């Protein structure tokens, strides 16, 4: 039994990491696209970013040095990542449900990392976590964060599921998978929470299991429900990158590579090289005006005037 | 392409009801299309506008600027709207057998 | 309450519209105009005879296949185009943003409340920003990503039939591409982009696009020089007429310089201005001459028409026209191109096509709004703002503002020349589209003009009425400044449809006209308060 739990954790974490990385790599490797930004762009100079302006507001913008306002970019990113600012602004009703859910997941992730750190320290200290005020304090803090995370995530997932079922506008657009995804969160995290809360005195808790995992100690007797919760949660973790729930990856690119991508071609060798490479592709679009009169590359197609028979 | 019957005569028109083939235009065609503007009787003022549009079109291949139309015919824009309720582009041009003006006009 | 439109409705084989927009369902305007009977009255030759109608209006002309084999062939062509949208060779131009918008939508519907079309239609499901996206996404997962049971379970599915395909194409033209929804999306998914890509699929693979945008749009522009049909002779004739008119009106000799080699500025207007709003190019000529700018216009093919309709529906057409503009500037050896008051031309030439122009085609390109700001704020004109003593509000063209970040220059000008300038709510990058965006303002057959006056432009009309709520009586003349030809055309149609000039004295026009109206060195009364 224990070996299954350990194996599931390792599998879940690895699958999540590989799946997420694969998605990120897939998006990062897409060709340069035409500009399609959306203002405000927060890395603009602060006085312009305040009203959503761009460098095009300057006279002869191409003569002005371009400054990248990193502080502005971070000031836009952090509230968006941590507080789901856009959702709060544009869909408050959903935010009341979605924010606790996401905050719960953040807390759970933080608790898991802290737990592994404590477990690692335990091994370093010879196998036992020190009692004492500090030692107990650490454990209490991690426990509190984890428990709060679980409670928030489960409550949020329930609220989201309920809304998806009740609101006709959401229901009409939902697939069976959408309901399943939320249900999966509720079941896996509930099992985790219940298993942890109902474990018997003397049964290993989260820290003991984490330390056991690091030692690969198969003798740790993991209670059944808690073990099931861990396995389900690990599978959920592995499942996320396969679905639109990996939108945290997508969001990085929709913001940085589309909405805020205002880099002019002239400044970047990278973009100029990408343009030459793209213009060398041969499109196969079937409409008659899409043909070139030469070698059929994009460079040829865009240099052709389809309204004139004599070309170009 | 849609066919519309005006005064008992069928015409090929575009989606906006403009005469498909400007070549077949004559005074009778103008009278027929005038019914779509609710014009029962083409007056001299109607004809003045229509003839100017027609001449300009034959020279330049498009409809003239509205301002030029007013200046050359001596009719105020408000009067043009009285004569052709859909206005110079959608009303007068249609009666004059011009293709519907294109572009951001 | 009308029944909620479903995805499967688009596949219906009958010839009934999927949704009927009843004017009674539309949100009331604070100033109800004449009864909306116009929406029902239309040209006798209606569309209902052919095709698979969507909502009682139509902008695309589809083939009407009679046999199953013909229908299958069309569906096959659609699916092959769908695949091309996701290939690097065919769609490197937008592949990355498109993929991102395909795979991460959480179907939370946050975008819906940001959409003026959806809201102004009385929340007709068909116009929800995610409606077409969701159908398109399901087709993507099934036909591009391999499909299968798990995929259908995860993403849902829709049956692909010719009626569905045809209606999806038409539905891509019920979105203004204003991308206000993308701004609201917590994940950054872009429904406007999806509509844009569907339009491209139909144009680039099936050769289907609105006549106004393609055959008598970008093709006409590349053939004779302008989507208005003006050739070089016609534009020179019109421009000299404008020069005469402006000279007479302002009391200052106005002459437009043509094809001047080595000028600092090549000014490219939307040619529609020359035909429909000649006072705008006229005002630019007055201002640039008075400010001592070295400038020219070009009579070369496409050199006198900044429009680039390709940015709405076709990447090849976009690239071709952008290159023509750059080639002309190169040949004239000008220092920079300045794009006149035309929003989509701004976005096309300065932003989207930026990554298409390299080498000697990389001519600096700038907005006329910043140039006007430099001239006005730099004190290069003698101004008397009291000549503009009437309420003015500003419409923000999406292409210039939300999609390009030129927000303040036009405001700086207005604050200097219009003492009674007031903002709309919301404004700046949060503003609403006029309802004419993405080419709608130049499209009108089959009741489409009524649709955009009633539905797409409704939110904007309400904003305008609200901005002037303290002075709605017709005796007080008011001015909506819309520095964009497309927006101006739409606002004209909107005000006319709802009879707003007569009832409320609300006129519209560009920015340059307000500047000239305040110039001490020209005769007063440049702006004419006569409906046009």
């Amino acid at each position: 039994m224990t070996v299954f739990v350990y194996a599931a954790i390792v599998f879940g974490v690895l699958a999540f990491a590989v799946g997420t990385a694969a998605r990120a790599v897939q998006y990062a490797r897409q060709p340069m696209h035409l500009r399609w930004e959306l203002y405000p762009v927060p890395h603009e100079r602060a006085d312009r970013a305040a009203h959503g302006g761009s460098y095009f507001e300057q006279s002869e913008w191409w003569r002005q040095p371009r400054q990248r306002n990193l502080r502005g970019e971070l000031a836009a990113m952090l509230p968006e990542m941590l507080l789901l600012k856009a959702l709060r602004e544009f869909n408050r009703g959903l935010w009341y449900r979605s924010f606790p859910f996401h905050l719960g997941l953040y807390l759970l992730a933080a608790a898991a990392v802290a737990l592994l750190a404590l477990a690692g320290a335990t091994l370093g200290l010879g196998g036992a976590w020190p009692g004492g005020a500090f030692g107990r304090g650490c454990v209490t803090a991690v426990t509190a964060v984890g428990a709060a995370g679980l409670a928030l995530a489960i409550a949020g997932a329930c609220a989201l599921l309920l809304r998806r079922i009740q609101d006709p506008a959401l229901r009409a657009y939902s697939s069976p998978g959408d309901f399943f995804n939320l249900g999966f969160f509720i079941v896996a995290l509930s099992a985790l929470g219940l298993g942890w809360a109902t474990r018997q005195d003397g049964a290993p808790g989260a820290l003991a299991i984490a330390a056991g995992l690091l030692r690969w100690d198969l003798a740790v007797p993991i209670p059944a429900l808690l073990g099931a919760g861990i396995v389900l949660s690990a599978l959920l973790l592995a499942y996320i990158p396969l679905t639109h729930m990996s939108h945290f990856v997508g969001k990085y690119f929709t913001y940085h590579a589309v909405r805020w991508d205002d880099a002019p071609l002239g400044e970047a060798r990278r973009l100029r090289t990408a343009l030459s490479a793209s213009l060398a592709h041969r499109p196969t679009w079937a409409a008659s005006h899409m043909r070139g009169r030469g070698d059929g590359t994009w460079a040829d197609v865009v240099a052709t005037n389809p309204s004139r028979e004599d070309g170009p | 392409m849609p066919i519309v019957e005006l005064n008992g005569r069928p015409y090929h028109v575009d989606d906006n009801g403009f005469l498909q083939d400007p070549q077949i235009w004559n005074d009778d065609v103008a009278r027929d299309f005038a019914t779509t503007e609710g014009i029962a009787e083409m007056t001299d003022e109607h004809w003045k506008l229509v003839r100017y549009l027609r001449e300009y079109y034959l020279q330049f291949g498009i409809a003239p600027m509205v301002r030029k139309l007013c200046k050359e015919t001596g009719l105020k824009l408000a009067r043009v709207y009285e004569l052709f309720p859909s206005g110079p582009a959608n009303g007068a041009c249609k009666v004059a057998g011009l293709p519907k003006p294109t572009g951001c006009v | 309450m009308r029944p909620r439109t479903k995805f499967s409705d688009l596949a219906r084989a009958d010839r009934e519209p999927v949704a009927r927009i009843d004017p009674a369902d539309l949100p009331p305007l604070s100033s109800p105009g004449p009864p909306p009977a116009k929406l029902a009255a239309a040209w006798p030759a209606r569309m209902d005879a052919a095709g698979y109608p969507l909502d009682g209006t139509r902008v695309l002309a589809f083939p009407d296949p009679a046999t199953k084999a013909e229908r299958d062939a069309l569906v096959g062509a659609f699916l092959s185009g769908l695949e091309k949208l996701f290939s690097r060779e065919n769609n490197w131009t937008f592949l990355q943003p498109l993929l991102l918008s395909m795979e991460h939508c959480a179907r939370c519907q946050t975008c819906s409340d940001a959409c003026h079309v959806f809201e102004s239609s009385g929340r007709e499901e068909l116009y929800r920003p995610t409606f077409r996206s969701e159908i398109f996404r399901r087709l993507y997962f099934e036909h591009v990503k391999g499909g299968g049971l798990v995929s259908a379970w995860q993403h849902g599915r829709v049956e692909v039939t010719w009626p569905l395909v045809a209606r999806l194409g038409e539905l891509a033209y019920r979105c203004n591409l204003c991308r206000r929804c993308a701004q609201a999306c917590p994940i950054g998914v872009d429904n406007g982009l999806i509509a844009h890509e569907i339009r491209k699929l139909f144009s680039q693979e099936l050769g289907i696009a609105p006549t106004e945008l393609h055959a008598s749009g970008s093709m006409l522009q590349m053939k004779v020089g302008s989507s208005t049909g003006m050739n070089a002779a016609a534009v020179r004739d019109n421009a000299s007429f404008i020069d005469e008119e402006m000279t007479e009106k302002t009391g200052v000799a106005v002459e437009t310089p043509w094809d001047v080699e080595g000028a600092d500025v090549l000014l490219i207007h939307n040619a529609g201005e020359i035909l429909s709003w000649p006072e705008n190019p006229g005002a630019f000529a007055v201002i640039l001459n008075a400010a001592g700018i070295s400038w020219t216009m070009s009579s070369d093919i496409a050199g006198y028409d900044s429009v680039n309709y390709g940015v709405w529906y076709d990447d090849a057409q976009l690239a071709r026209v952008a290159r023509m503009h750059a080639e002309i500037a190169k040949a004239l050896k000008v220092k920079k191109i300045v794009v006149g008051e035309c929003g989509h031309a701004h976005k096309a030439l300065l932003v989207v096509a930026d990554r298409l122009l390299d080498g000697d085609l990389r001519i600096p390109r700038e907005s006329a709004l910043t140039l006007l700001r430099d001239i006005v704020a730099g004190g290069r004109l003698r101004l008397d703002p009291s000549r503009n003593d009437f309420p003015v509000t500003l419409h923000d063209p999406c292409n210039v503002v939300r999609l390009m970040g030129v927000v303040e220059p036009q405001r700086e000008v207005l604050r200097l020349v219009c003492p009674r300038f007031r903002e709309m709510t919301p404004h700046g990058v949060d503003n609403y589209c006029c309802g004419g965006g993405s080419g709608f303002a130049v499209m009108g057959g089959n009741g489409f003009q009524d649709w955009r006056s009633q539905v797409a432009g409704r939110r904007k009309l309400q904003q305008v009425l609200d901005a002037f709520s303290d002075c709605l009586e017709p005796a007080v003349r008011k001015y909506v400044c819309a520095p964009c030809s497309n927006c101006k055309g739409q606002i004209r149609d909107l005000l006319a449809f709802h009879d707003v000039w007569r009832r409320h004295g609300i006129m519209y026009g560009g920015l340059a006209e307000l500047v000239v109206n305040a110039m001490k060195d020209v005769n007063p009364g440049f702006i004419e308060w006569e409906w046009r």
Side-chain angles (χ1 to χ4, degrees):
Chain A
M1 177 62 198
T2 305
V3 72
F4 278 120
V5 176
Y6 291 167
I9 295 173
V10 173
F11 167 75
V13 171
L14 281 181
F16 178 80
V18 170
T20 305
R23 247 182 209 264
V25 169
Q26 183 210 346
Y27 296 130
R29 291 180 61 182
Q30 294 307 321
M32 174 193 80
H33 57 82
L34 302 188
R35 274 171 62 182
W36 198 246
E37 65 251 34
L38 199 53
Y39 288 85
V41 170
H43 62 234
E44 256 300 336
R45 214 175 65 189
D47 58 329
R48 284 198 294 268
H51 60 254
S54 71
Y55 54 81
F56 288 119
E57 291 192 334
Q58 307 165 92
S59 39
E60 312 227 313
W61 59 267
W62 54 93
R63 294 186 196 282
Q64 319 296 331
R66 283 229 304 140
Q67 302 147 312
R68 202 181 166 83
N69 170 9
L70 194 64
R71 177 196 290 243
E73 185 158 325
L74 287 174
M77 283 170 66
L78 290 177
E80 192 49 59
M81 287 159 57
L82 298 177
L83 305 173
L84 314 185
K85 185 167 161 282
L87 190 63
R88 184 168 190 276
E89 191 176 332
F90 296 110
N91 195 345
R92 190 64 64 92
L94 186 61
W95 184 82
Y96 286 127
R97 296 158 172 87
S98 185
F99 176 64
F101 175 68
H102 284 89
L103 178 63
L105 296 184
Y106 295 164
L107 294 178
L108 275 175
V113 170
L115 201 56
L116 285 174
L118 290 188
T122 307
L123 296 189
L125 293 170
W129 179 252
F134 175 74
R136 276 199 304 277
C138 285
V139 174
T140 311
V142 174
T143 308
V145 169
L150 266 181
L152 283 169
I154 294 169
C158 290
L160 287 171
L161 183 62
L162 210 62
R163 185 181 169 95
R164 197 163 278 284
I165 293 168
Q166 284 173 339
D167 185 335
L170 265 70
R171 198 172 56 224
Y173 290 75
S174 301
S175 64
D178 290 331
F179 298 110
F180 171 83
N181 294 346
L182 287 167
F184 197 170
F185 269 101
I186 295 166
V187 170
L189 298 183
S190 299
L192 198 62
L194 284 174
W196 176 77
T198 61
R199 72 192 192 287
Q200 290 175 335
D201 281 351
L207 182 57
I209 296 172
L213 170 70
L214 292 184
R215 285 199 314 268
W216 207 259
D217 178 359
L218 301 181
V220 177
I222 300 175
L225 186 57
L226 183 55
I230 295 174
V231 171
L232 282 172
S233 302
L235 291 178
L236 175 60
L237 197 59
Y239 172 67
I240 286 173
L242 304 176
T243 70
H244 75 78
M245 292 184 291
S246 58
H247 51 236
F248 54 91
V249 183
K251 185 165 181 169
Y252 175 84
F253 288 96
T254 54
Y255 277 70
H256 289 83
V258 185
R259 286 178 69 153
W260 299 348
D261 179 9
D262 61 350
L265 183 89
E267 287 170 18
R269 178 179 292 274
R270 174 181 64 85
L271 296 177
R272 306 181 103 147
T273 313
L275 175 61
S276 323
S278 292
L279 288 175
H281 287 310
R282 285 193 167 76
T284 58
W285 292 106
S288 59
H289 74 274
M290 292 301 292
R291 279 180 225 129
R293 297 221 171 85
D295 62 4
T297 59
W298 272 104
D300 168 37
V301 169
V302 302
T304 298
N305 182 342
S307 72
R308 305 200 140 194
E309 303 235 321
D310 49 339
Chain B
M1 86 188 59
I3 294 180
V4 63
E5 209 175 279
L6 300 170
N7 285 342
R9 281 182 284 270
Y11 292 100
H12 284 288
V13 295
D14 71 2
D15 282 345
N16 296 282
F18 281 67
L19 185 64
Q20 195 68 241
D21 178 8
Q23 308 298 323
I24 67 161
W25 186 88
N26 58 34
D27 285 8
D28 288 334
V29 176
R31 285 189 199 94
D32 291 349
F33 274 77
T35 60
T36 70
E37 281 288 290
I39 301 167
E41 178 76 48
M42 289 281 285
T43 64
D44 286 351
E45 279 182 318
H46 286 112
W47 283 119
K48 186 155 61 163
L49 276 169
V50 165
R51 300 240 185 271
Y52 176 72
L53 286 172
R54 198 69 205 168
E55 274 162 31
Y56 190 93
Y57 171 69
L58 292 177
Q59 188 183 351
F60 288 108
I62 57 161
M65 293 162 59
V66 172
R67 194 182 272 272
K68 193 163 183 163
L69 173 77
C70 294
K71 191 160 191 168
E72 304 283 335
T73 58
L75 296 167
K76 281 206 178 308
L77 185 57
R79 181 68 190 139
V80 177
Y81 271 93
E82 282 167 26
L83 293 166
F84 295 94
S86 312
N90 290 314
C93 283
K94 190 185 283 179
V95 176
L98 272 59
K100 182 173 163 56
T102 58
C104 299
V105 293
Chain C
M1 263 274 301
R2 56 177 178 254
R4 180 182 289 271
T5 309
K6 302 186 296 292
F7 302 134
S8 57
D9 288 345
L10 262 60
R12 271 179 11 203
D14 61 61
R15 305 298 178 126
E16 283 299 302
V18 168
R20 279 195 190 275
I21 308 304
D22 181 351
D25 290 339
L26 307 182
L29 289 164
S30 66
S31 163
K38 282 185 184 174
L39 197 61
W43 185 249
R46 285 307 298 259
M47 38 152 306
D48 305 296
Y52 296 94
L54 187 68
D55 55 359
T57 178
R58 170 172 74 76
V59 303
L60 292 178
F62 283 106
D64 198 9
T67 67
K68 182 171 182 310
E70 284 171 38
R71 284 193 293 275
D72 290 349
L74 282 166
V75 170
F78 168 81
L79 291 177
S80 108
L82 181 65
E83 218 161 296
K84 288 175 194 174
L85 276 186
F86 293 93
S87 88
R88 188 177 283 252
E89 290 68 29
N90 283 297
N91 201 29
W92 58 271
T93 46
F94 284 96
L95 182 56
Q96 187 183 44
L98 179 59
L99 272 182
L100 290 164
S101 283
M102 279 298 105
E103 300 188 347
H104 296 107
C105 175
R107 295 131 153 183
C108 70
Q109 311 302 353
T110 301
C111 50
S112 304
D113 290 337
C115 176
H116 59 291
V117 177
F118 178 57
E119 187 200 24
S120 299
S121 68
R123 300 178 80 84
E124 163 53 51
E125 200 61 30
L126 191 61
Y127 305 141
R128 192 187 281 279
T130 47
F131 189 91
R132 84 177 67 70
S133 301
E134 185 62 28
I135 293 176
F136 186 72
R137 195 172 280 122
R138 289 175 181 201
L139 295 173
Y140 161 74
F141 280 112
E142 181 164 353
H143 299 280
V144 178
K145 296 288 276 182
L149 284 177
V150 176
S151 170
W153 172 82
Q154 201 176 33
H155 307 293
R157 74 179 294 272
V158 288
E159 190 84 38
V160 60
T161 65
W162 174 243
L164 177 107
V165 169
R167 288 194 178 106
L168 182 65
E170 181 68 37
L171 189 53
Y173 289 92
R174 296 296 181 282
C175 163
N176 283 118
L177 311 187
C178 82
R179 297 175 67 213
R180 201 169 185 273
C181 61
Q183 213 178 26
C185 177
I187 296 171
V189 171
D190 189 340
N191 295 298
L193 175 74
I194 293 173
H196 176 259
E197 297 299 299
I198 298 174
R199 293 176 177 197
K200 275 168 51 185
L201 192 173
F202 278 85
S203 175
Q204 297 178 182
E205 186 70 10
L206 296 142
I208 294 172
T211 314
E212 293 94 331
L213 300 192
H214 187 70
S216 53
S218 61
M219 290 299 256
L220 186 61
Q221 183 185 18
M222 283 191 264
K223 190 173 177 199
V224 307
S226 164
S227 63
T228 59
M230 269 195 291
N231 57 22
V235 77
R236 292 292 299 267
D237 181 63
N238 283 332
S240 69
F241 174 77
I242 295 175
D243 285 349
E244 280 166 36
E245 287 268 293
M246 292 300 131
T247 303
E248 199 175 302
K249 194 162 152 177
T250 60
V252 180
V254 179
E255 203 189 328
T256 298
W258 285 93
D259 304 312
V260 181
E261 225 180 85
D264 287 350
V265 169
L266 167 64
L267 178 64
I268 314 186
H269 289 295
N270 179 321
E273 300 281 350
I274 293 169
L275 286 173
S276 295
W277 302 285
E279 57 284 353
N280 180 274
F284 268 98
V286 171
I287 294 168
L288 297 183
N289 289 344
I293 306 270
S294 145
W295 68 291
T296 187
M297 295 206 353
S298 160
S299 63
D300 210 340
I301 292 265
Y304 49 91
D305 197 352
S306 65
V307 306
N308 191 340
Y309 295 172
V311 76
W312 298 320
Y313 78 99
D314 191 298
D315 287 344
Q317 300 292 82
L318 161 77
R320 287 162 174 162
V321 171
R323 286 174 55 93
M324 290 173 96
H325 287 142
E327 295 275 6
I328 288 160
K330 185 180 85 177
L332 276 175
K333 303 188 182 70
V334 295
K335 295 210 175 80
K336 63 184 176 191
I337 301 175
V338 171
V339 179
E341 294 185 17
C342 172
H344 86 275
H346 269 74
K347 190 180 71 172
L349 194 59
L350 274 71
V351 184
V352 184
D354 181 74
R355 291 184 183 163
L356 290 165
L357 302 172
D358 200 7
D360 55 1
L361 291 186
R362 213 163 166 76
I363 318 280
R365 306 171 313 272
E366 169 176 270
S367 164
L369 304 181
T370 47
L371 181 62
L372 282 179
R373 187 266 324 268
D374 291 349
I375 291 172
V376 171
R380 295 168 78 170
L381 303 174
R382 298 190 335 122
L383 295 166
D384 173 12
S386 72
R387 289 190 181 185
N388 282 334
D389 187 25
F390 44 84
V392 173
T393 192
L394 174 68
H395 165 65
D396 284 305
C398 307
N399 285 315
V400 175
V401 178
R402 177 167 31 255
L403 308 180
M404 188 178 163
V406 175
V407 185
E408 271 296 305
Q410 57 272 43
R411 294 183 155 75
E412 286 174 49
V413 172
L414 286 177
R415 284 186 214 113
L416 288 169
V417 302
C418 296
R420 297 170 71 185
F421 167 57
R422 72 265 311 276
E423 291 280 11
M424 292 189 199
T425 310
H427 60 264
V429 292
D430 301 322
N431 198 27
Y432 280 105
C433 169
C434 60
S438 81
F440 288 8
V442 306
M443 289 150 44
N446 294 303
F448 192 70
Q449 188 171 333
D450 291 355
W451 182 85
R452 62 180 162 86
S453 296
Q454 278 280 33
V455 179
R458 199 174 193 82
R459 194 72 188 74
K460 180 51 62 181
L461 178 60
Q462 186 60 59
Q463 276 194 291
V464 170
L465 293 170
D466 289 347
F468 294 128
S469 63
D470 60 328
C471 52
L472 277 174
E473 57 276 21
V476 183
R477 287 152 166 182
K478 296 162 287 279
Y479 190 97
V480 182
C481 173
C484 164
S485 312
N486 215 278
C487 303
K488 224 152 52 180
Q490 162 73 1
I491 290 173
R492 170 194 60 200
D493 295 348
L494 201 52
L495 298 181
F497 185 95
H498 297 274
D499 202 12
V500 177
W501 164 243
R502 196 184 56 78
R503 293 188 304 127
H504 295 302
I506 300 177
M507 180 55 84
Y508 71 99
L511 181 64
E513 295 93 307
L514 287 168
V515 174
V516 175
N517 201 49
M519 279 172 67
K520 279 184 181 162
D521 296 326
V522 312
N523 297 336
F526 183 80
I527 288 175
E528 290 171 19
W529 297 96
E530 200 180 325
W531 181 250
R532 51 188 175 271

